[in-house]
Amino acid sequence: MRYYFVILLRKAIPPLPHQGGGVNQEDFPLKRYIAGLACAATAVLGVPALASTAHAQAADPVSALKSRLKSGYGVAFVDTVKIRNGKKSTTLAHRKGELQFGASGVAASDHTTQLRAQEDLFAFDTEENDGGEKTEAEKDLDRLFAGLAEPERVVRVKNKAYIQGGAFGQFLPEDKPWLVYPKDTFGLTGSLGQFVNPTEPSTLKALLARATVKRPTAYSGKITFGELNKVSPWFRVAQEVPLTKQQAKTVVNWRLFLNADRLPVRLTISSSDFANGPTSTIDTRYSGWGSKVTIDAPPADQVSTMKELNDRFAADTPVPLLTIK
């Protein structure tokens, strides 16, 4: 199928270290990364009121988590995504949202991602443009870049993802501002967020089994992409494509902090493809355990389809980068 806009968006994004892709060992080209995105589409923890000592001592973390997996309830989270290259650290994005639980784990999610980069990184100039009037294709790319600076919201319900705002929002009508994506996804920029989910019992169990530091409210250790891929639906959505054998060997360093009820309140991870190369770090804070959370799909009459988005680019002379042969 020609003009399959979204697939090209995903393929053109240079992967971050945590997504198993290669990164320039000498420097992380942030502006080129933002360009790829477009052409492709709290130091101290707040501790809640202490539960009874007997309860905190009795519950292991996995059992404590399972006791909170009730339909209509959930937890809020905030991600901070950074790239560290040597001594220089750059904040790439913030993602915040809520998880709604079912009896076995995460049933739905709602998150909004905001890239944190200088405005000039979202400015696009076609190399072939000699200063004359821009073509429609070049104007579309301008809009695509401008959209990356806007918040992107993704609602996931029953393995379907609905995207509002961001790069896609530049091409959707005002009365149908949501795009239903053809597969489960965290979004174009939302995919930069936390890919290790300790609110999944299977993932939490795998992390604790590999912990090298074990304290009542703090654990740390290492886990590979391959191990996460086996136990975590959340991780598989974050990756979107099957892991290669080499990617499966990627090591994630993690630190997990629990509250007095033995529930996750903070998770930090870091990963890199090679020694002395740029490192992707993600710091996630969890709050509001046990809060009522209801996440619904947007109204059907406000949802655009991929065909409607593709039709926007079904011109005789499409943008070459958005064409699939």
Side-chain angles (χ1 to χ4, degrees), residues 192-215:
L192 300 175
Q194 182 63 265
F195 56 89
V196 181
N197 192 343
T199 73
E200 294 177 321
S202 57
T203 299
L204 180 59
K205 182 178 180 180
L207 292 175
L208 297 180
R210 292 159 180 78
T212 54
V213 174
K214 302 179 181 181
R215 299 191 179 98

Side-chain angles (χ1 to χ4, degrees), residues 180-195:
V180 58
Y181 203 74
K183 61 183 293 186
D184 200 358
T185 181
F186 292 143
L188 185 61
T189 57
S191 61
L192 300 175
Q194 182 63 265
F195 56 89

